[in-house]
Amino acid sequence: MAGVSIRPSATTTSNQAFASRLLLLLTALPLTLAIFAFVLQWRGGLNNDPTTRWSPDKFEFPGMGTISSSKPPKSHSSSSSDCSELLGRTSISFPYFRDWKFNFNTDLKPKICITTSTSAGLEQILPWIFYHKVVGVTTFFLFVEGKAASPNVSAILESIPGVKVIYRTRELEEQQAKSRIWNETWLSSFFYKPCNYELFVKQSLNMEMAIVMARDTGVDWIIHLDTDELLHPAGAQEYSLRQLLLDVPGNVDMVIFPNYESSVERDDIKEPFSEVSMFKKNYDHLPKDTYFGMYKEATRGNPNYFLTYGNGKSAARVQDHLRPNGAHRWHNYMKTPNEIKLEEAAVLHYTYPKFSDLTSRRDRCGCKPTKEDVKRCFMLEFDRSAFIIASTATEEEMRHWYHEHIVWADKALNLKLIRKGILTRIYAPMVIVQGLRESGVFSSVVLSAQKTLSKDKFLSSVESNNSSRTVTSNLLSMRKFGRSKDDSQATARRLLEFANTSHAIAVPPLSPPVMDELLVEV
């Protein structure tokens, strides 16, 4: 036995060699991939990558002219500083927006415009405009007052392609005082009252002018929307208002978007479009038994299922004889419009999303904080209650009331209502607005406007706007807004006689169905 030698077989030797090569391969492959990734990353710093081009340092954004500047200046004038503080600064880019185009081709159909009457600031209007540009709106008619008409804000708004800014000047008021709806009866129940009623009349007059401007610019659809509302084009093949309206049959004159109402979950919201994702669904998008069965839990002791209105907003096909029918609907002088109500798309209404909304609404209205007087000022019960609280309570009491009536802090209740379909999560607007902000689009608009207009030209533009803006007439307010009814009665109302004229009464903001109404229906 001692003389017998044991040698490994050829098979054993082959297996060992194969195992050695496999081990070497498995060791070398990750190292090779890591080196390759490092090389790509190093080379990417030298290339003109689209993501880099969209960074706030270079200000090259879709639909906007390139501004030759390596970095934003470290200091600006006071107006520039204010805008920057409002919009916030960012040092990162958001590459998923690289292919978005904000200047649409003129042959793109349908062409959609939004008209609004606003006194908001840039921090609200810019996200509102560019969100709607993303979903397919090409044209905006902004009837501005207050903060929106200030030089710092209006000059920037006027620099945005597709945006037309209209100021409340003497000329505008005189023109509207001669308009057709001014002398008709369907809007008359809203005359001679302040606050919300006054705004409702102004909105209707502005919508009438917007129809003419929309027709002159070749617009196919017109929508009236407030700057605390975003269109949610669910139900289309893509998240596109264009696609949604493209699919509407040609015989339809008006499309109704039921509104969803924001349900904020805390009291420190600063940028509602970027921070709010929970909404309460409209009655029209719920089974009747669900709405009825969960009504008390969804209302939480408030006057109604929604805090404010529940009858949605609408889009109208631009055509002959079109007229507004209040801020929520359109009508036609020669026919009853053929309308449809969308089953999935909605208007997202951000209702009292910030605690400061209580005092800001109070400061815009000069009514007395009594149950009787607020009826003259506000159409909806919750607005009346909120005005009284904001006018009579301490800050601590106001915050307690805000938590009790507006903030949805009960996570168990929220989850229950989400499971029942009353509440829903909608993230698309939040993602879009956050992405626009992180891409530097808003700050770019501000800086672009200031660079396009030299300082002297900027100031002269401001002076020009102010000269026509500050010397305004009280003609409208005296005749229709309740301050001098006797004067207006001295002027005979012009009666229009058309054989087929339709004088449907203006549709006000309406609350959703209440429990008693549902019991009658059932």
mmCIF file of all heavy atoms in Angstrom, residues 462-483:
data_model
loop_
_atom_site.group_PDB
_atom_site.id
_atom_site.type_symbol
_atom_site.label_atom_id
_atom_site.label_comp_id
_atom_site.label_asym_id
_atom_site.label_seq_id
_atom_site.Cartn_x
_atom_site.Cartn_y
_atom_site.Cartn_z
ATOM 1 N N VAL A 462 -44.269 100.475 -15.328
ATOM 2 C CA VAL A 462 -45.013 100.550 -14.078
ATOM 3 C C VAL A 462 -45.789 101.855 -14.001
ATOM 4 O O VAL A 462 -46.960 101.887 -13.652
ATOM 5 C CB VAL A 462 -44.050 100.409 -12.881
ATOM 6 C CG1 VAL A 462 -44.740 100.775 -11.590
ATOM 7 C CG2 VAL A 462 -43.505 98.993 -12.817
ATOM 8 N N GLU A 463 -45.111 102.967 -14.363
ATOM 9 C CA GLU A 463 -45.769 104.260 -14.323
ATOM 10 C C GLU A 463 -46.975 104.280 -15.250
ATOM 11 O O GLU A 463 -48.036 104.796 -14.928
ATOM 12 C CB GLU A 463 -44.780 105.358 -14.724
ATOM 13 C CG GLU A 463 -43.755 105.687 -13.653
ATOM 14 C CD GLU A 463 -44.399 106.291 -12.427
ATOM 15 O OE1 GLU A 463 -45.382 107.038 -12.578
ATOM 16 O OE2 GLU A 463 -43.949 106.000 -11.312
ATOM 17 N N SER A 464 -46.803 103.704 -16.456
ATOM 18 C CA SER A 464 -47.888 103.670 -17.432
ATOM 19 C C SER A 464 -49.075 102.893 -16.895
ATOM 20 O O SER A 464 -50.220 103.324 -17.016
ATOM 21 C CB SER A 464 -47.389 103.034 -18.738
ATOM 22 O OG SER A 464 -48.449 102.897 -19.649
ATOM 23 N N ASN A 465 -48.797 101.752 -16.300
ATOM 24 C CA ASN A 465 -49.875 100.945 -15.748
ATOM 25 C C ASN A 465 -50.563 101.668 -14.598
ATOM 26 O O ASN A 465 -51.788 101.670 -14.498
ATOM 27 C CB ASN A 465 -49.334 99.596 -15.247
ATOM 28 C CG ASN A 465 -48.993 98.671 -16.395
ATOM 29 O OD1 ASN A 465 -49.521 98.806 -17.488
ATOM 30 N ND2 ASN A 465 -48.100 97.722 -16.131
ATOM 31 N N ASN A 466 -49.767 102.306 -13.747
ATOM 32 C CA ASN A 466 -50.340 102.977 -12.590
ATOM 33 C C ASN A 466 -51.222 104.154 -12.985
ATOM 34 O O ASN A 466 -52.240 104.410 -12.372
ATOM 35 C CB ASN A 466 -49.234 103.470 -11.654
ATOM 36 C CG ASN A 466 -48.641 102.353 -10.838
ATOM 37 O OD1 ASN A 466 -49.250 101.306 -10.698
ATOM 38 N ND2 ASN A 466 -47.452 102.570 -10.292
ATOM 39 N N SER A 467 -50.806 104.870 -14.032
ATOM 40 C CA SER A 467 -51.553 106.064 -14.419
ATOM 41 C C SER A 467 -52.969 105.715 -14.848
ATOM 42 O O SER A 467 -53.909 106.456 -14.587
ATOM 43 C CB SER A 467 -50.832 106.794 -15.553
ATOM 44 O OG SER A 467 -50.784 105.973 -16.714
ATOM 45 N N SER A 468 -53.119 104.578 -15.533
ATOM 46 C CA SER A 468 -54.458 104.192 -15.977
ATOM 47 C C SER A 468 -55.187 103.379 -14.925
ATOM 48 O O SER A 468 -56.391 103.210 -14.994
ATOM 49 C CB SER A 468 -54.370 103.369 -17.262
ATOM 50 O OG SER A 468 -53.628 102.189 -17.030
ATOM 51 N N ARG A 469 -54.445 102.904 -13.922
ATOM 52 C CA ARG A 469 -55.023 101.997 -12.946
ATOM 53 C C ARG A 469 -55.570 102.731 -11.731
ATOM 54 O O ARG A 469 -56.553 102.346 -11.142
ATOM 55 C CB ARG A 469 -53.923 101.025 -12.496
ATOM 56 C CG ARG A 469 -54.400 99.815 -11.778
ATOM 57 C CD ARG A 469 -53.213 98.955 -11.414
ATOM 58 N NE ARG A 469 -52.329 98.752 -12.553
ATOM 59 C CZ ARG A 469 -51.093 98.338 -12.446
ATOM 60 N NH1 ARG A 469 -50.570 98.095 -11.273
ATOM 61 N NH2 ARG A 469 -50.344 98.164 -13.516
ATOM 62 N N THR A 470 -54.882 103.808 -11.333
ATOM 63 C CA THR A 470 -55.243 104.440 -10.071
ATOM 64 C C THR A 470 -56.436 105.369 -10.199
ATOM 65 O O THR A 470 -57.185 105.536 -9.247
ATOM 66 C CB THR A 470 -54.047 105.238 -9.533
ATOM 67 O OG1 THR A 470 -53.603 106.143 -10.533
ATOM 68 C CG2 THR A 470 -52.912 104.315 -9.165
ATOM 69 N N VAL A 471 -56.626 105.985 -11.357
ATOM 70 C CA VAL A 471 -57.738 106.906 -11.522
ATOM 71 C C VAL A 471 -58.939 106.113 -12.019
ATOM 72 O O VAL A 471 -59.322 106.182 -13.169
ATOM 73 C CB VAL A 471 -57.400 108.025 -12.532
ATOM 74 C CG1 VAL A 471 -58.468 109.092 -12.523
ATOM 75 C CG2 VAL A 471 -56.057 108.643 -12.196
ATOM 76 N N THR A 472 -59.521 105.313 -11.134
ATOM 77 C CA THR A 472 -60.628 104.458 -11.541
ATOM 78 C C THR A 472 -61.947 105.132 -11.240
ATOM 79 O O THR A 472 -62.068 105.987 -10.368
ATOM 80 C CB THR A 472 -60.568 103.113 -10.825
ATOM 81 O OG1 THR A 472 -60.521 103.358 -9.427
ATOM 82 C CG2 THR A 472 -59.357 102.308 -11.249
ATOM 83 N N SER A 473 -62.947 104.703 -11.967
ATOM 84 C CA SER A 473 -64.274 105.268 -11.824
ATOM 85 C C SER A 473 -65.097 104.457 -10.832
ATOM 86 O O SER A 473 -64.897 103.268 -10.684
ATOM 87 C CB SER A 473 -64.967 105.273 -13.189
ATOM 88 O OG SER A 473 -66.337 105.548 -13.054
ATOM 89 N N ASN A 474 -66.027 105.125 -10.159
ATOM 90 C CA ASN A 474 -66.944 104.425 -9.273
ATOM 91 C C ASN A 474 -68.251 104.100 -9.972
ATOM 92 O O ASN A 474 -69.247 103.780 -9.333
ATOM 93 C CB ASN A 474 -67.246 105.279 -8.035
ATOM 94 C CG ASN A 474 -66.052 105.383 -7.123
ATOM 95 O OD1 ASN A 474 -65.304 104.425 -6.992
ATOM 96 N ND2 ASN A 474 -65.887 106.543 -6.504
ATOM 97 N N LEU A 475 -68.236 104.186 -11.289
ATOM 98 C CA LEU A 475 -69.461 104.008 -12.048
ATOM 99 C C LEU A 475 -70.107 102.660 -11.765
ATOM 100 O O LEU A 475 -71.292 102.566 -11.473
ATOM 101 C CB LEU A 475 -69.150 104.138 -13.552
ATOM 102 C CG LEU A 475 -70.331 103.971 -14.512
ATOM 103 C CD1 LEU A 475 -71.361 105.036 -14.230
ATOM 104 C CD2 LEU A 475 -69.851 104.057 -15.946
ATOM 105 N N LEU A 476 -69.317 101.577 -11.843
ATOM 106 C CA LEU A 476 -69.881 100.249 -11.639
ATOM 107 C C LEU A 476 -70.385 100.093 -10.209
ATOM 108 O O LEU A 476 -71.498 99.633 -9.979
ATOM 109 C CB LEU A 476 -68.836 99.173 -11.935
ATOM 110 C CG LEU A 476 -68.399 99.046 -13.389
ATOM 111 C CD1 LEU A 476 -67.499 97.823 -13.530
ATOM 112 C CD2 LEU A 476 -69.572 98.916 -14.306
ATOM 113 N N SER A 477 -69.554 100.460 -9.251
ATOM 114 C CA SER A 477 -69.929 100.242 -7.863
ATOM 115 C C SER A 477 -71.155 101.070 -7.489
ATOM 116 O O SER A 477 -71.993 100.634 -6.708
ATOM 117 C CB SER A 477 -68.771 100.567 -6.943
ATOM 118 O OG SER A 477 -68.351 101.895 -7.139
ATOM 119 N N MET A 478 -71.280 102.276 -8.040
ATOM 120 C CA MET A 478 -72.427 103.115 -7.714
ATOM 121 C C MET A 478 -73.710 102.530 -8.276
ATOM 122 O O MET A 478 -74.752 102.549 -7.640
ATOM 123 C CB MET A 478 -72.220 104.525 -8.264
ATOM 124 C CG MET A 478 -71.189 105.346 -7.484
ATOM 125 S SD MET A 478 -70.903 106.945 -8.247
ATOM 126 C CE MET A 478 -72.538 107.653 -8.154
ATOM 127 N N ARG A 479 -73.632 101.961 -9.476
ATOM 128 C CA ARG A 479 -74.867 101.535 -10.127
ATOM 129 C C ARG A 479 -75.312 100.142 -9.713
ATOM 130 O O ARG A 479 -76.494 99.879 -9.625
ATOM 131 C CB ARG A 479 -74.702 101.575 -11.643
ATOM 132 C CG ARG A 479 -74.560 102.955 -12.214
ATOM 133 C CD ARG A 479 -74.525 102.921 -13.723
ATOM 134 N NE ARG A 479 -75.721 102.325 -14.276
ATOM 135 C CZ ARG A 479 -75.838 101.980 -15.548
ATOM 136 N NH1 ARG A 479 -74.839 102.147 -16.364
ATOM 137 N NH2 ARG A 479 -76.961 101.451 -15.992
ATOM 138 N N LYS A 480 -74.340 99.245 -9.476
ATOM 139 C CA LYS A 480 -74.752 97.859 -9.288
ATOM 140 C C LYS A 480 -74.246 97.225 -8.012
ATOM 141 O O LYS A 480 -74.669 96.134 -7.674
ATOM 142 C CB LYS A 480 -74.248 97.009 -10.477
ATOM 143 C CG LYS A 480 -74.766 97.472 -11.834
ATOM 144 C CD LYS A 480 -76.266 97.333 -11.967
ATOM 145 C CE LYS A 480 -76.732 97.712 -13.367
ATOM 146 N NZ LYS A 480 -78.178 97.641 -13.525
ATOM 147 N N PHE A 481 -73.323 97.875 -7.330
ATOM 148 C CA PHE A 481 -72.726 97.212 -6.189
ATOM 149 C C PHE A 481 -73.259 97.724 -4.858
ATOM 150 O O PHE A 481 -72.633 97.559 -3.831
ATOM 151 C CB PHE A 481 -71.201 97.341 -6.223
ATOM 152 C CG PHE A 481 -70.595 96.665 -7.416
ATOM 153 C CD1 PHE A 481 -69.366 97.055 -7.888
ATOM 154 C CD2 PHE A 481 -71.253 95.637 -8.062
ATOM 155 C CE1 PHE A 481 -68.794 96.429 -8.979
ATOM 156 C CE2 PHE A 481 -70.697 94.999 -9.163
ATOM 157 C CZ PHE A 481 -69.463 95.398 -9.622
ATOM 158 N N GLY A 482 -74.417 98.414 -4.888
ATOM 159 C CA GLY A 482 -75.132 98.661 -3.655
ATOM 160 C C GLY A 482 -74.833 99.938 -2.921
ATOM 161 O O GLY A 482 -75.337 100.151 -1.837
ATOM 162 N N ARG A 483 -74.058 100.850 -3.501
ATOM 163 C CA ARG A 483 -73.689 102.044 -2.751
ATOM 164 C C ARG A 483 -74.586 103.244 -3.073
ATOM 165 O O ARG A 483 -74.654 104.172 -2.313
ATOM 166 C CB ARG A 483 -72.228 102.405 -3.008
ATOM 167 C CG ARG A 483 -71.269 101.338 -2.516
ATOM 168 C CD ARG A 483 -69.834 101.753 -2.720
ATOM 169 N NE ARG A 483 -68.908 100.722 -2.253
ATOM 170 C CZ ARG A 483 -68.504 99.708 -2.977
ATOM 171 N NH1 ARG A 483 -68.963 99.571 -4.220
ATOM 172 N NH2 ARG A 483 -67.677 98.808 -2.497
#
